[in-house]
Amino acid sequence: MGAGLTALPEALGCGRVGGDRGVMKPITGCGANMAPRFLVRDGTSRNFTGNLAEVVGCMLDVGTSGCAYTHPLQAARVALTASAAPENVGFLRPDADLLVVFVGAEDDCSAAPNTSLFADRRTRDRPRLCVVP
């Protein structure tokens, strides 16, 4: 979700205003055909090969790069809102259960997209905590 309206230095990993906008990213090399942008298993039809646990485990190995100000709660909300992230349409289905799990090493910094909260952080090192100034 980036750092609000502020593009921060590359060292903080928040160079794009709005970040990925909650759009699910296709992950390659894990045995998944990411069209659509998420795993689908409907009876005998599925868009991945191999063991589901291994495919998911591979997809979750995303590393530690990215914006220093993490927004997992806001990203989940936006990702599940069709008007905000139309690329994810089809992910929510009436016949499917939804489970959202957050795993992270940083505090949640979710804020409104037009926030100026992060604007004075342009020259600081990568923060460990999201602290309101």
Side-chain angles (χ1 to χ4, degrees):
M1 298 303 300
L5 297 175
T6 307
L8 298 179
E10 196 59 39
L12 292 175
C14 309
R16 286 184 322 190
V17 172
D20 293 326
R21 300 177 8 267
V23 175
M24 295 177 187
K25 296 174 118 183
I27 307 282
T28 58
C30 291
N33 169 13
M34 298 307 289
R37 296 174 175 266
F38 43 86
L39 296 177
V40 176
R41 184 172 76 177
D42 185 16
T44 59
S45 175
R46 59 188 192 170
N47 68 343
F48 61 92
T49 59
N51 179 290
L52 177 61
E54 291 174 7
V55 172
V56 170
C58 176
M59 292 173 67
L60 292 176
D61 187 12
V62 295
T64 58
S65 64
C67 185
Y69 300 105
T70 59
H71 303 264
L73 298 174
Q74 177 77 331
R77 184 191 66 75
V78 171
L80 299 174
T81 304
S83 60
E87 298 89 340
N88 300 338
V89 168
F91 178 74
L92 289 178
R93 298 174 304 280
D95 60 335
D97 295 325
L98 175 65
L99 171 68
V100 180
V101 177
F102 298 98
V103 178
E106 312 258 345
D107 289 345
D108 181 72
C109 293
S110 292
N114 61 350
T115 188
S116 61
L117 175 67
F118 311 107
D120 70 339
R121 308 289 174 105
R122 294 172 195 222
T123 59
R124 294 189 187 176
D125 293 333
R126 185 176 176 91
R128 293 301 303 156
L129 299 173
C130 181
V131 179
V132 178

